[in-house]
Amino acid sequence: MRTLFHNHLVQKSFWCMSAATILWSGLHLPAAQAASMGTQSPQASVSSKTDVIPTDKAALLSARRELYEQISAATGIPWFRFAAIDQYERTVAKKSKTAPQHLTKLTGITIPPPLWSGPLNPDQEDTSPQSISFFGGFGSDGSGDGRADPGSDADVLYSMARHLLHYGQSSSDFSIAIWEYYHNGRASQRINQFAKLYEHFGRLDLSGNAFPLPLGNTYAYRSTWGTGRSWGGARIHEGTDLFTPHGTPVRSTCYGIVETKGWNRYGGWRIGIRDIDNRYHYYAHLTGYDKKLAQGDIVQPGQTIGWVGSSGYGSPGTQGKFPPHLHFGIYKDRGITEWAFDPYPLLKQWENQEYRARRNKNK
């Protein structure tokens, strides 16, 4: 659970300000934009609820993008920042067996009742903007229906926008605002990474993967998950080994950001890439990297990121303690912990998909 309440009690004076005061005062919006908005309600153009949640992926993403852009137009906050927060919440949320949130809301953002209504509010289901403001709550009316409903996509995103506007509009202001909301450095890092990806590609759909090696008959692999390892102490193998000749290109399996790059005494020269689903793709035992690639750079599926080697099991530069191969692993971040899972099924899936795409292209 986020450690938020003490921070929001300190900020009570801010939350007691009306939404109109914050938006239309011109303190946080560009002057020209504030002037053009006049005194009209900012919520008027934002739907309070989504009557039907699209089931088609393209339609769903289009509806989300439209919602982000509506709130962006009202607040001046770039759409990709809302998308990044939403996506982060979606990746760390626990799956509900009773009432899946995606069936009732476009967004995945959930604000706990004590934070939404105010920790001292006797009515933890309060939807009155006035009483919520009085008790220092987070909730605001973003749809213009006179209610601050935590089940409304517009209200939730608008309330988040008010929080972000309190800190400013720059990227560093955004980082501070995210830290103050989650009090979690990992959350701040992930959300900034997602925002960077969305801004770079200009779209929400960043699905699509590639096999980490060029397709062909020069490699061999099988499921090696959980097998024992002795170097450096007793441990299990958290990944799949793909054996292939020294110098074979290693490719990014996803759209993502280079999170780590350098030496690891187990993995040798290794690189780690974070994708939009909050999965960390780990490539180890490399002989070297693409020289143009740096930490923080954006990559896409199939892009060469390095070459297969036999580095590792020692101090920086150690080579040749085992046959050349690529160790590939995937780790899932759930907000507090990050855990590994067997990548073998995904590798087979990506390999088969790429073969099918090649055959279809050649027809």
Side-chain angles (χ1 to χ4, degrees):
M1 177 64 68
R2 312 178 189 110
T3 57
L4 303 171
F5 302 146
H6 73 284
N7 180 62
H8 288 280
L9 282 172
V10 171
Q11 295 178 4
K12 180 177 179 181
S13 61
F14 164 70
W15 293 121
C16 289
M17 297 172 68
S18 69
T21 300
I22 291 176
L23 284 176
W24 312 126
S25 65
L27 292 176
H28 298 288
L29 292 177
Q33 184 179 353
S36 67
M37 289 178 175
T39 58
Q40 289 184 332
S41 169
Q43 297 94 331
S45 63
V46 183
S47 300
S48 61
K49 289 239 184 201
T50 303
D51 295 325
V52 179
I53 303 298
T55 55
D56 174 73
K57 180 180 178 181
L60 178 62
L61 293 180
S62 177
R64 280 189 191 138
R65 176 69 180 267
E66 182 179 358
L67 176 65
Y68 301 150
E69 290 182 338
Q70 285 181 325
I71 302 295
S72 177
T75 64
I77 297 173
W79 69 269
F80 50 81
R81 291 182 180 170
F82 295 121
I85 298 170
D86 189 357
Q87 180 64 9
Y88 175 74
E89 292 257 352
R90 204 181 305 281
T91 64
V92 300
K94 291 183 178 179
K95 304 298 182 183
S96 171
K97 296 181 180 179
T98 55
Q101 191 180 60
H102 69 273
L103 297 181
T104 58
K105 290 181 61 182
L106 277 175
T107 67
I109 301 173
T110 300
I111 301 174
L115 180 58
W116 182 267
S117 302
L120 301 181
N121 192 333
D123 181 6
Q124 287 294 288
E125 296 183 356
D126 194 358
T127 59
S128 167
Q130 291 75 25
S131 59
I132 288 175
S133 177
F134 177 80
F135 285 104
F138 196 89
S140 298
D141 175 16
S143 60
D145 63 358
R147 301 173 70 245
D149 182 1
S152 162
D153 292 301
D155 290 359
V156 168
L157 283 179
Y158 181 65
S159 299
M160 183 61 70
R162 288 187 61 203
H163 172 73
L164 300 178
L165 286 171
H166 179 54
Y167 295 89
Q169 292 276 30
S170 71
S171 58
S172 60
D173 293 333
F174 178 64
S175 296
I176 294 170
I178 293 303
W179 162 255
E180 291 294 343
Y181 181 78
Y182 290 98
H183 284 269
N184 182 329
R186 179 181 290 179
S188 180
Q189 180 188 19
R190 301 291 180 265
I191 291 170
N192 275 287
Q193 289 171 326
F194 295 168
K196 186 175 180 179
L197 285 170
Y198 285 134
E199 181 181 17
H200 178 83
F201 289 106
R203 65 179 190 269
L204 290 178
D205 188 0
L206 296 179
S207 59
N209 298 93
F211 193 67
L213 300 175
L215 295 184
N217 56 7
T218 60
Y219 58 82
Y221 69 105
R222 60 183 179 84
S223 179
T224 53
W225 175 263
T227 57
R229 292 292 186 271
S230 59
W231 192 89
R235 54 197 175 89
I236 66 168
H237 190 238
E238 294 183 345
T240 296
D241 289 336
L242 298 95
F243 290 89
T244 189
H246 194 279
T248 300
V250 174
R251 309 188 300 168
S252 172
T253 52
C254 62
Y255 294 95
I257 287 185
V258 177
E259 188 170 300
T260 56
K261 179 186 175 187
W263 183 266
N264 176 291
R265 71 190 189 101
Y266 296 104
W269 299 117
R270 56 78 164 96
I271 192 166
I273 295 171
R274 179 75 52 182
D275 72 13
I276 201 68
D277 292 315
N278 212 349
R279 299 180 302 188
Y280 178 78
H281 300 233
Y282 176 71
Y283 314 76
H285 306 316
L286 306 179
T287 188
Y289 312 103
D290 179 346
K291 292 183 179 179
K292 298 187 294 293
L293 203 60
Q295 191 172 350
D297 283 355
I298 292 174
V299 296
Q300 53 189 337
Q303 179 179 336
T304 297
I305 57 176
W307 292 269
V308 170
S310 58
S311 61
Y313 284 18
S315 57
T318 303
Q319 301 272 354
K321 288 198 171 183
F322 39 77
H325 69 277
L326 170 67
H327 169 94
F328 179 76
I330 298 187
Y331 297 77
K332 177 67 175 179
D333 184 0
R334 293 309 300 268
I336 298 176
T337 60
E338 191 167 63
W339 47 273
F341 63 92
D342 186 0
Y344 179 78
L346 284 177
L347 288 169
K348 294 300 294 185
Q349 176 183 323
W350 298 338
E351 183 182 29
N352 292 334
Q353 286 175 345
E354 202 164 341
Y355 270 122
R356 283 196 298 271
R358 177 184 290 183
R359 287 194 296 269
N360 292 336
K361 185 177 180 180
N362 293 333
K363 283 184 179 179

